[in-house]
Amino acid sequence: MRRPIIAGNWKMNMTASEAAAFLEQLKPLVKDANCDVAVCVPAIDIPACAEVLKESNIGLGAQNVHFAEKGAFTGEISVGMLKEFGVKYVIIGHSERRQYFGETDESVNKRLHAALNGGLIPIVCVGESLEERETGKTEEVLFRQLKEGLKGVEDVTKLIIAYEPIWAIGTGKTATAEQANETIGFIRKSLGELFCPHCAQEVRIQYGGSMNAGNCKELLSQPEIDGGLIGGASLKTPDFATIVNS
Ligand code: PEP
């Protein structure tokens, strides 16, 4: 049985003090969750969040990590820096990083290996643009992102995939539950071909893209969908708690 995971992606929102206050409110609301819960926070909020989340059931996550152990990489953060504060998860290859910061399948792959080698749980994002979906290229794009992004991974069960159609992120347009389920089924089949069918059955694959308190039940009840990566709705405690407890 795959244990679902609901993870918030706060993006560039909340100062450290706002983050700490938010998490103090969230903790009691999700303490009895039947799934894994995580918040992926801005890097500078990590120390404050780590303090608040001590001994809670909410795992701490980052939104990116560099592939090098250390060195001349201005503005970047290493696995060791994250681990020192008890960070457990890291988002890799979010479409905003691909779109605005030149992230490629190749750099995703390097960051992924660094995260896995350092014992972090990567949440690797894949997803097609609206144009790619409309021109029938969704499967081709996803297969390439998985093949190149996950190249050389020895144990694919150690990572989480987030299927995030770019056209559904922050737009209020959600993939229908059937669309999301079918596409995640395709991702699982591809992982079976690229790795092994048995391992593919164990990989947790989330859906992300305008999931909210109103549509989460239907999406999360789909057999292929193992949780969600939540942007906007993770910034409101009642909404995020509703998704976690749904
Ligand atoms: C995301 O950025 O990962 C995301 C899913 O955002 P939203 O929920 O706001 O669409």
Side-chain angles (χ1 to χ4, degrees):
M1 263 307 262
R2 300 184 297 265
R3 184 170 164 84
I5 169 164
I6 302 292
N9 172 16
W10 289 1
K11 312 192 185 193
M12 196 174 71
N13 291 290
M14 290 211 250
T15 65
S17 56
E18 288 166 349
F22 179 95
L23 291 175
E24 287 292 6
Q25 271 189 15
L26 182 68
K27 276 196 300 186
L29 303 180
V30 300
K31 68 177 180 7
D32 298 321
N34 285 322
C35 60
D36 289 344
V37 186
V39 285
C40 300
V41 307
I44 199 159
D45 295 355
I46 286 172
C49 293
E51 194 55 38
V52 179
L53 295 182
K54 257 188 215 157
E55 285 158 39
S56 86
N57 64 331
I58 305 173
L60 185 55
Q63 298 174 10
N64 195 15
V65 69
H66 197 259
F67 41 81
E69 214 173 293
K70 59 178 165 178
F73 299 102
T74 303
E76 293 283 335
I77 292 186
S78 72
V79 171
M81 292 169 187
L82 297 177
K83 296 267 300 186
E84 194 164 298
F85 285 98
V87 169
K88 185 169 176 189
Y89 302 95
V90 61
I91 297 174
I92 295 181
H94 190 279
S95 60
E96 286 153 15
R97 302 261 357 141
R98 295 180 191 251
Q99 194 177 344
Y100 306 130
F101 301 101
E103 202 78 69
T104 61
D105 292 334
E106 195 186 348
S107 64
V108 165
N109 185 252
K110 286 164 90 172
R111 292 179 199 268
L112 171 61
H113 280 286
L116 285 171
N117 291 338
L120 291 172
I121 302 176
I123 300 177
V124 180
C125 300
V126 296
E128 80 287 1
S129 67
L130 185 59
E131 193 198 339
E132 288 162 345
R133 177 158 283 264
E134 285 178 348
T135 52
K137 297 210 177 93
T138 299
E139 295 192 349
E140 183 191 321
V141 168
L142 292 173
F143 193 81
R144 190 209 69 225
Q145 289 175 341
L146 295 168
K147 185 167 180 231
E148 301 302 322
L150 273 50
K151 199 176 265 177
V153 167
E154 277 175 19
D155 184 356
V156 74
T157 66
K158 291 223 155 60
L159 55 91
I160 295 166
I161 307 275
Y163 167 56
E164 299 210 304
I166 298 169
W167 48 271
I169 295 180
T171 57
K173 268 192 209 165
T174 323
T176 64
E178 294 71 28
Q179 256 175 343
N181 191 60
E182 188 186 320
T183 310
I184 289 179
F186 170 78
I187 291 174
R188 200 176 300 290
K189 183 167 94 45
S190 305
L191 292 176
E193 284 167 28
L194 293 166
F195 296 92
C196 77
H198 175 73
C199 322
Q201 286 308 316
E202 286 183 35
V203 179
R204 293 188 288 179
I205 310 180
Q206 300 171 303
Y207 168 75
S210 298
M211 195 190 286
N212 58 41
N215 61 24
C216 61
K217 252 203 163 68
E218 203 192 347
L219 285 160
L220 295 173
S221 63
Q222 299 296 316
E224 293 288 358
I225 303 181
D226 306 317
L229 184 57
I230 323 292
S234 73
L235 297 169
K236 298 174 202 136
T237 41
D239 294 37
F240 190 61
T242 299
I243 299 171
V244 166
N245 296 318
S246 69

